[in-house]
Amino acid sequence: EIVLTQSPGTLSLSPGERATLSCRASQSVSSSYLAWYQQKPGQAPRLLIYGASSRATGIPDRFSGSGSGTDFTLTISRLEPEDFAVYYCQQYGSSPPPITFGQGTRLEIK
Amino acid sequence: EVQLVESGGGLVQPGGSLRLSCAASGFTFSSYWMHWVRQAPGKGLVWVSRINSDGSSTSYADSVKGRFTISRDNAKNTLYLQMNSLRAEDTAVYYCARDADSPVYGIYFDLWGRGTLVTVSS
């Protein structure tokens, strides 16, 4: 099983600041198979990034993804009030279970 | 409108059964693989099961294998999850999610329902 570890667990920032969220895999992940989601309280997750760096439809360009191998990053260039939420990374691989998520990073207003 | 709507959650005793449904609309349901993902209260997301587009192939997380069965009715645009021998640790919001169907980017989820809460307790 590929374990995804996200850091930090909680990130406290102010609107307008830059957020950098990390996702580290226990084994190499094909960069094509890494996605990021945003989840707000009481809501379903929303796809932000797929293929490590491709933005999903309708996602603002302040969101960007990067990385390869075992280290991946989600960057939010200038935080808007609506960006404060929990963020999850997710990978797809051949070893069972084929799909795993990180434990999440909570982005909170400072 | 493109959407997924889950139903069927509720309170069930340990050892009991429940069937969840996920009604799809606004897209060609029969063309997509579909998944169930769950989230225990205050916890992260955990993949549960997936089914291919015509229902001929399924897979499960080890934690539910032999107890849960995923199925679909493409004529009714509906996905199901039959849950038997329920345990307290199955308590979670259950989301159905659409596989983005990308041959290049593997499996990821481009459409989610709002979820249905399953509580297993005596």
Side-chain angles (χ1 to χ4, degrees), chain A residues 31-110:
Chain A
S31 59
S32 296
Y33 296 168
L34 196 288
W36 289 92
Y37 302 86
Q38 176 194 70
Q39 187 179 34
K40 297 180 180 180
Q43 296 186 18
R46 177 175 72 145
L47 175 68
L48 297 176
I49 300 286
Y50 63 92
S53 61
S54 297
R55 271 188 303 277
T57 302
I59 301 304
D61 61 6
R62 64 180 180 273
F63 290 90
S64 63
S66 63
S68 64
T70 59
D71 290 295
F72 298 88
T73 300
L74 175 70
T75 301
I76 310 171
S77 58
R78 292 177 314 279
L79 286 166
E80 298 286 343
E82 62 267 26
D83 298 337
F84 292 91
V86 179
Y87 292 83
Y88 295 94
C89 55
Q90 173 248 315
Q91 68 84 33
Y92 164 65
S94 57
S95 59
I99 298 154
T100 56
F101 292 88
Q103 84 281 14
T105 289
R106 180 178 305 277
L107 179 56
E108 63 177 25
I109 299 177
K110 187 174 182 180

Side-chain angles (χ1 to χ4, degrees), chain B residues 12-82:
Chain B
V12 60
Q13 292 188 337
S17 298
L18 213 53
R19 188 177 84 155
L20 306 183
S21 300
C22 169
S25 59
F27 65 98
T28 306
F29 177 72
S30 60
S31 296
Y32 290 86
W33 289 29
M34 296 294 296
H35 301 254
W36 289 98
V37 176
R38 69 183 181 184
Q39 186 171 36
K43 302 297 185 181
L45 301 166
V46 177
W47 174 79
V48 173
S49 181
R50 69 96 178 141
I51 188 167
N52 70 344
S53 56
D54 66 6
S56 62
S57 175
T58 60
S59 65
Y60 300 90
D62 284 348
S63 59
V64 307
K65 199 173 295 183
R67 300 188 299 124
F68 290 12
T69 301
I70 190 172
S71 62
R72 65 191 296 160
D73 185 335
N74 285 342
K76 295 182 177 180
N77 292 333
T78 302
L79 174 72
Y80 302 101
L81 186 67
Q82 177 67 44

Side-chain angles (χ1 to χ4, degrees), chain B residues 62-111:
Chain B
D62 284 348
S63 59
V64 307
K65 199 173 295 183
R67 300 188 299 124
F68 290 12
T69 301
I70 190 172
S71 62
R72 65 191 296 160
D73 185 335
N74 285 342
K76 295 182 177 180
N77 292 333
T78 302
L79 174 72
Y80 302 101
L81 186 67
Q82 177 67 44
M83 305 186 295
N84 298 331
S85 303
L86 283 161
R87 307 166 180 167
E89 54 264 35
D90 296 318
T91 294
V93 174
Y94 285 74
Y95 296 100
C96 64
R98 187 177 75 176
D99 191 312
D101 191 30
S102 171
V104 176
Y105 298 113
I107 292 177
Y108 61 94
F109 310 112
D110 64 351
L111 180 67

